[in-house]
Amino acid sequence: MLYSIVSEDVENSLEKRKSARPAHLARLQQLTEQGRLLIAGPSPAIDSDDPGAAGFTGSIVIAEFESLTSAQAWADADPYITAGVYRHVTVKPFKKVLP
């Protein structure tokens, strides 16, 4: 089943994001290689693809997991959690309808 993982950043998270980004992306790449990643990306703090120093306010990942428990465990192990980037993470089942 698909699950959405919606994460909210702490204030001024940009430097923490930069340091943990390679490990964070490596985990997403694993999901991609396994054919389990539907979409992933950050939410810019301003209306721009490249927010520069404004940074980001959070992230969204929608991917396939065996259960809500496994999706939560995957989210809890994110390097952004360890680095203190995220202040809150919500994991919920997701049903793709379109396209």
Side-chain angles (χ1 to χ4, degrees):
M1 178 168 193
L2 291 172
Y3 294 88
S4 66
I5 302 169
V6 180
S7 306
E8 298 174 34
D9 282 22
V10 298
E11 293 291 322
N12 302 312
S13 63
L14 187 57
E15 291 307 314
K16 292 176 182 179
R17 271 183 170 270
K18 286 180 181 178
S19 66
R21 188 170 191 260
H24 172 77
L25 292 179
R27 295 178 79 237
L28 292 170
Q29 185 60 39
Q30 287 177 334
L31 289 178
T32 299
E33 290 167 2
Q34 295 166 357
R36 297 170 43 205
L37 183 65
L38 183 63
I39 194 167
S43 299
I46 60 173
D47 190 12
S48 173
D49 283 341
D50 183 4
F56 301 90
T57 61
S59 301
I60 298 172
V61 173
I62 300 177
E64 184 179 345
F65 293 92
E66 292 180 8
S67 65
L68 179 58
T69 302
S70 63
Q72 185 69 60
W74 187 89
D76 290 345
D78 194 303
Y80 280 176
I81 296 278
T82 307
V85 173
Y86 294 149
R87 68 177 177 90
H88 183 73
V89 177
T90 303
V91 180
K92 294 182 180 182
F94 180 82
K95 181 179 178 181
K96 182 181 177 196
V97 175
L98 295 170

